[in-house]
Amino acid sequence: MPWTVNRYFTLAIAIIFLIVGTTGIAYSADMQTGHMLIFDVDVVHNMMHFLTGVVAMVVAIMGPIWSRTFNRTIGVIYLLVGLLGLAYPVLYFDGRLLGIMHANLEDHILHLLLGVIALAIGFATERLPGVASSTVSEASVQDAS
């Protein structure tokens, strides 16, 4: 299976998120808010990063088509999380985004950037060699008649 830009990006997401999730858990092993560099972290936020890393690793191993789909999906999810976070204080309950996890402005900006980059890579990619196109060519239409 070829290594495409999507697949490399998915692998990079896997490695980075596994490191960030694991390191973040060490900073805040309980439900208290911790600070890792400039970012707010808690156990739920770190577990989300860790699980994203695990899924990204599996997807990167599965192949380029799965990686493209993953990048598109994760792009939408992280873009939405970033936008929801900017709707502060409307969507914060008990000091947590949607009452689920701690996040600060820096987290939201990072989520927005990741979402935009993942969407750009997921949608602006080349067609893989040997993969059939979803459109019917004129030659196959003529052969059918």
Side-chain angles (χ1 to χ4, degrees):
M1 280 186 272
W3 279 88
T4 61
V5 173
N6 271 298
R7 205 163 172 199
Y8 281 118
F9 183 74
T10 303
L11 182 61
I13 290 294
I15 293 167
I16 292 167
F17 274 55
L18 286 170
I19 291 169
V20 168
T22 304
T23 306
I25 290 169
Y27 276 96
S28 62
D30 55 11
M31 286 303 291
Q32 300 301 315
T33 304
H35 298 284
M36 192 167 69
L37 300 175
I38 58 172
F39 303 103
D40 279 355
V41 292
D42 64 14
V43 72
V44 174
H45 200 153
N46 294 321
M47 289 306 295
M48 294 304 293
H49 288 156
F50 186 79
L51 291 174
T52 300
V54 169
V55 171
M57 185 62 74
V58 170
V59 168
I61 292 168
M62 290 176 68
I65 294 173
W66 286 93
S67 293
R68 184 177 61 203
T69 302
F70 174 83
N71 292 336
R72 290 175 177 179
T73 305
I74 209 70
V76 168
I77 291 169
Y78 273 82
L79 190 63
L80 287 174
V81 168
L83 290 172
L84 287 173
L86 294 178
Y88 184 86
V90 178
L91 298 173
Y92 273 77
F93 309 105
D94 193 29
R96 295 184 178 106
L97 178 61
L98 300 175
I100 300 171
M101 66 182 186
H102 289 97
N104 60 7
L105 179 62
E106 291 82 0
D107 288 313
H108 304 314
I109 291 170
L110 187 61
H111 292 152
L112 286 171
L113 287 173
L114 176 64
V116 168
I117 293 168
L119 284 172
I121 290 173
F123 281 103
T125 57
E126 68 284 346
R127 209 180 107 224
L128 298 174
V131 176
S133 174
S134 60
T135 60
V136 179
S137 68
E138 290 180 24
S140 62
V141 171
Q142 290 176 354
D143 291 342
S145 48

